[in-house]
Amino acid sequence: MKANPDDLLVLLAVSRSAKFTTAAQVLGLNHTTVSRRIAALEKALGGRVLARAAGGWELTELGTEAVRVAEQVEAAVSALGPAGQAPDPITGVVRMTATDGFSAYIAAPAVARLRRKHPGLSVEVVTMTRRALQQRSGLDIEVVVGEPQVHRAEAVQLGEYMLGMYASRAYLAENGTPASVAELTEHPLVYFVDSMLQVDDLDAPRRLVPAMREGLMSTNVFVHVEATRAGAGIGFLPCFMGNLHNDLVRLLPDDFAELLPYWMVLRPDSMRRPAVAAVVQALRDQTAAHRDALLGRGRASSTAP
């Protein structure tokens, strides 16, 4: 029995979302129809094309081969555009995860610029600070802090960014300006929740000033910035975020200049999609264009008010 091209396209949609329900929405079908189409494809091919994984479905070896054929079918169908018009290959949904700061200051403007040229493109960005996943069904791109240890994936370094200690001018006027690392222990820290921090490379404050007491802790870096501005304590912030605010002062830059890498993790099959390749290049370009800001070479803010 030969595989039905429509069933192959259904498998392709499931492979990109890792969920039957999401694929059904994209295709304008219901969940039952998607399940039935996948069952028919597996019967035609004589084996399983999908296997259960954390967070959804993952392609089997047979499924990976079938998706390659499905991509050829999709490309052939896409080529049948209006007469005289070449269809835009950069279309469809690209799904990625990244840290809060990277998502806002690098990914968002990069995607916005790309969508002006390719309005058929849609990008879903889930913000989180964690290690790279070992199972990444339905996820095209991950941007993580620190070099990832991954299997069946490609990992490339995007760039680097600097973190430093910051306090608000009002806080320093009221509480004094620490002149040494030892004096920081007299001030509360604004940073990540230690028990929930999944990225070892982000442990600098506890490693450099272990006696510094905790003040306001959050899993979101934007909370760190705003809490520091509000005077909750001294925040350990990405310089590209801290330097945006004139009411923040960078402290002890010679002692606190933590340089961390951004890495990008890609599924082996993702880059075959023009839309994913375009988003990857846009992220590379945006990161490179903002290299100085990421490295903290912005507004001079290392002196007290």
Side-chain angles (χ1 to χ4, degrees):
M1 185 183 299
K2 294 183 178 179
N4 185 322
D6 287 339
D7 295 343
L8 286 169
L9 293 176
V10 169
L11 175 63
L12 183 59
V14 174
S15 75
R16 290 173 176 171
S17 65
K19 298 182 184 299
F20 283 10
T21 51
T22 305
Q25 293 171 359
V26 170
L27 297 169
L29 304 173
N30 58 48
H31 178 280
T32 303
T33 300
V34 169
S35 180
R36 179 169 52 80
R37 290 283 186 86
I38 295 298
L41 180 62
E42 291 181 330
K43 183 176 181 181
L45 297 179
R48 297 292 302 275
V49 295
L50 293 169
R52 279 284 187 188
W57 294 93
E58 190 169 61
L59 292 170
T60 63
E61 187 174 340
L62 177 61
T64 299
E65 294 177 7
V67 161
R68 290 196 182 99
V69 176
E71 289 172 336
Q72 296 173 11
V73 173
E74 181 185 54
V77 172
S78 297
L80 300 174
Q85 292 185 10
D88 185 357
I90 301 176
T91 187
V93 180
V94 174
R95 296 176 174 86
M96 65 174 287
T97 66
T99 62
D100 299 308
F102 185 94
S103 297
Y105 292 110
I106 301 296
V111 170
R113 187 177 299 109
L114 189 61
R115 286 201 70 259
R116 285 196 286 272
K117 297 180 180 178
H118 307 284
L121 173 69
S122 175
V123 179
E124 296 178 358
V125 182
V126 177
T127 61
M128 54 187 63
T129 303
R130 67 180 183 193
R131 299 184 185 94
L133 297 173
Q134 294 304 322
Q135 302 286 342
R136 53 186 54 80
S137 294
L139 192 59
D140 299 301
I141 303 168
E142 287 180 275
V143 177
V144 298
V145 175
E147 184 174 1
Q149 303 298 319
V150 293
H151 306 288
R152 293 186 297 171
E154 178 184 358
V156 293
Q157 187 171 341
L158 264 179
E160 296 176 310
Y161 75 106
M162 184 76 71
L163 295 100
M165 287 290 188
Y166 287 80
S168 73
R169 297 179 184 276
Y171 175 89
L172 295 175
E174 182 178 347
N175 297 280
T177 301
S180 66
V181 175
E183 290 184 16
L184 282 177
T185 59
E186 302 170 12
H187 300 266
L189 173 68
V190 175
Y191 198 52
F192 286 103
V193 179
D194 190 31
S195 62
M196 300 179 70
L197 187 59
Q198 298 184 31
V199 181
D200 293 340
D201 286 5
L202 288 170
D203 71 346
R206 278 89 182 198
R207 171 167 41 84
L208 298 172
V209 199
M212 194 173 182
R213 69 183 189 275
E214 294 188 342
L216 191 152
M217 323 311 288
S218 173
T219 57
N220 188 304
V221 71
F222 285 97
V223 175
H224 303 168
V225 173
E226 294 307 316
T228 304
R229 296 182 69 198
I234 293 177
F236 193 61
L237 309 176
C239 295
F240 69 88
M241 299 178 72
N243 287 351
L244 290 175
H245 303 284
N246 289 324
D247 56 340
L248 290 181
V249 175
R250 187 173 175 189
L251 306 170
L252 305 170
D254 293 335
D255 297 296
F256 296 95
E258 192 77 1
L259 191 63
L260 296 181
Y262 280 128
W263 281 74
M264 181 163 53
V265 182
L266 306 166
R267 285 206 326 251
D269 58 314
S270 288
M271 288 295 284
R272 295 202 302 269
R273 290 181 56 203
V276 175
V279 172
V280 167
Q281 189 58 51
L283 294 177
R284 287 179 181 270
D285 293 344
Q286 188 77 6
T287 302
H290 289 76
R291 182 173 182 272
D292 284 348
L294 288 169
L295 294 177
R297 298 169 185 164
R299 174 182 60 84
S301 56
S302 59
T303 58

